[in-house]
Amino acid sequence: MSLERHEAAELSFTASVSDSGGKYSCRGERSDISAAVTLTVSDLPGSALTVTPDSPVFTGETLNLKCVIESHSNWRYEWYKDRVMLQSSDGYTVNRDTLTIRGATESDQGQYWCRGQRDETPQSSQSSSVNISVKEKPKPVMKVTPDQRVFSGETVTLTCDIQRAGNTQWTYIWFFKDEYTQYPFTTTTTTAQYSFTAYVSNSGEYSCRGERSDISAAVTLTVSGE
């Protein structure tokens, strides 16, 4: 009885899209050449990391990072900060494609990125990194002109300045008296002003805040009769 001996050889290389469409054949030193096979190489699915709210994040805020992979399904998501994989046990909330950080602190600053893994081809997809900065929540300063004591009929201007806000655009909200009744006025600038004709009924405490800032200390406006 004779036994047949089979020999096999392998060639390994890292494929790129430029290799797609190439025809590959092989032969032994004393054999015919094999039939050609065509190699098709596709890019891995693109992925992106979205962050809400936009950086900078202020202390105490809730931060949501979402991993968006453009195609295919059945992804298992991994989250990383500064090359360290994040776990729910580290104080993070991981819900599939979303990482949530509640009550952000300066220790949450860093480079974040995500990676999708699955059993079928393609097996992985990795996002680019996003730098998250966390700053102390700014506190507005409230000013009254021409003075905190005016006469009825004078024009009063309230100025709300959110300090250390940088280039962040703010929505300002104004409050009147102790119950902080909201004035119907907002603006998206770094400093806001609100002017009105003062009457005795306007006497009281005024405060302001940005949509994402602390509330200012109250200033007291006293309006006397004519």
Side-chain angles (χ1 to χ4, degrees):
M1 181 177 63
S2 62
L3 297 176
E4 293 185 0
R5 183 178 177 183
H6 296 277
E7 297 288 348
E10 292 183 349
L11 171 67
S12 298
F13 61 95
T14 301
S16 64
V17 175
S18 61
D19 296 314
S20 187
K23 295 184 180 296
Y24 294 81
S25 303
C26 66
R27 70 176 180 85
E29 186 178 11
R30 298 170 57 195
S31 74
D32 289 334
I33 193 167
S34 71
V37 295
T38 301
L39 178 66
T40 301
V41 183
S42 302
D43 281 323
L44 288 172
S47 57
L49 190 58
T50 63
V51 182
T52 307
D54 292 334
S55 191
V57 178
F58 297 107
T59 52
E61 290 188 315
T62 295
L63 178 62
N64 286 297
L65 295 85
K66 185 177 179 65
C67 192
V68 181
I69 303 178
E70 64 185 18
S71 60
H72 303 285
S73 59
N74 300 321
W75 293 104
R76 299 185 300 274
Y77 296 88
E78 297 175 351
W79 292 94
Y80 294 84
K81 175 192 173 188
D82 299 332
R83 300 184 179 181
V84 177
M85 182 183 286
L86 303 179
Q87 307 288 344
S88 295
S89 57
D90 298 328
Y92 301 94
T93 300
V94 179
N95 183 14
R96 286 183 49 78
D97 62 351
T98 302
L99 173 73
T100 300
I101 303 172
R102 292 183 173 84
T105 66
E106 291 185 2
S107 64
D108 293 312
Q109 296 185 127
Q111 295 278 344
Y112 289 80
W113 50 281
C114 64
R115 181 167 64 191
Q117 301 270 46
R118 63 189 221 127
D119 297 328
E120 304 87 1
T121 302
Q123 294 183 325
S124 66
S125 177
Q126 181 172 312
S127 74
S128 57
S129 63
V130 173
N131 183 55
I132 301 296
S133 62
V134 181
K135 296 184 177 180
E136 182 182 354
K137 182 177 287 189
K139 188 177 183 71
V141 174
M142 183 80 156
K143 297 178 182 179
V144 181
T145 53
D147 195 6
Q148 290 182 224
R149 300 172 83 67
V150 298
F151 290 102
S152 180
E154 286 191 276
T155 298
V156 172
T157 298
L158 306 177
T159 301
C160 189
D161 179 17
I162 297 184
Q163 301 182 347
R164 303 188 307 274
N167 296 322
T168 304
Q169 297 296 295
W170 293 93
T171 297
Y172 287 81
I173 305 171
W174 305 87
F175 300 91
F176 174 49
K177 293 188 177 180
D178 292 337
E179 66 270 18
Y180 296 127
T181 302
Q182 182 175 325
Y183 266 65
F185 179 82
T186 59
T187 185
T188 52
T189 56
T190 54
T191 301
Q193 291 185 333
Y194 179 56
S195 298
F196 59 95
T197 301
Y199 298 99
V200 175
S201 60
N202 297 124
S203 295
E205 291 187 337
Y206 289 80
S207 301
C208 67
R209 71 173 179 86
E211 189 176 15
R212 295 170 58 199
S213 78
D214 287 332
I215 193 167
S216 72
V219 295
T220 301
L221 175 67
T222 300
V223 184
S224 303
E226 295 179 350

